[in-house]
Amino acid sequence: MSQTEDFLTPEDEQAIVRAIAEAERNTSGEIRVHLEEHTEKPPFERAKEVFLSLKMHETEKRNGVLFYVGVADHSFVILGDEGINQVVEADFWECTKDIVIENFKNKAYKKGLVEGILRAGERLKTYFPFHHEDTNELSNEISKS
């Protein structure tokens, strides 16, 4: 099995999907998680490519958030779309990123992603609160490549 397949158990993945659904109950923001074994590109550049390939830039309010994990490369990026970046402070994602990385250092991958996702939902609801007419524009499932 690849490192990507071994990174999370099926139960871990379901817990992460549930965390995404829970976080999105508070915000119109859309959260995705992408796991990738390895890339030759800088992690931020690769995360931008994945963001586009998942069509995360096509949300109505441009408020998609990608949690990109390079499993073998030990890389992690949180990437928010332009709708978010236009209204939040420059270090908006730092505390969320710190939560995830601290857990990753202890090999608590599921815990780090769940806590980070829930934190992202909390932070996003200030700028993008949930409205009853909001729809889930993107899949909550974890993508892999």
Side-chain angles (χ1 to χ4, degrees), residues 36-135:
E36 186 164 77
E37 183 131 357
H38 172 70
T39 181
E40 296 294 327
K41 298 179 179 175
F44 186 77
E45 293 304 313
R46 180 59 186 142
K48 288 195 301 190
E49 288 180 353
V50 170
F51 193 95
L52 294 174
S53 74
L54 294 174
K55 301 191 182 312
M56 295 185 69
H57 62 293
E58 294 180 7
T59 61
E60 181 182 348
K61 296 179 182 167
R62 299 294 302 262
N63 58 357
V65 178
L66 176 64
F67 283 62
Y68 170 86
V69 180
V71 178
D73 300 329
H74 302 283
S75 60
F76 175 71
V77 174
I78 299 177
L79 183 62
D81 203 351
E82 69 181 29
I84 297 169
N85 295 334
Q86 289 173 353
V87 297
V88 302
E89 60 276 12
D91 62 349
F92 183 76
W93 295 117
E94 290 310 306
C95 60
T96 304
K97 186 176 176 183
D98 291 346
I99 289 168
V100 175
I101 290 173
E102 194 57 40
N103 279 287
F104 279 18
K105 287 178 183 175
N106 296 317
K107 301 196 183 321
Y109 306 117
K110 176 192 83 169
K111 183 178 183 218
L113 288 168
V114 166
E115 288 181 6
I117 289 162
L118 295 175
R119 172 72 181 199
E122 279 295 312
R123 305 271 344 257
L124 284 171
K125 79 177 181 180
T126 301
Y127 300 95
F128 300 96
F130 182 82
H131 297 287
H132 69 279
E133 68 273 1
D134 288 337
T135 60

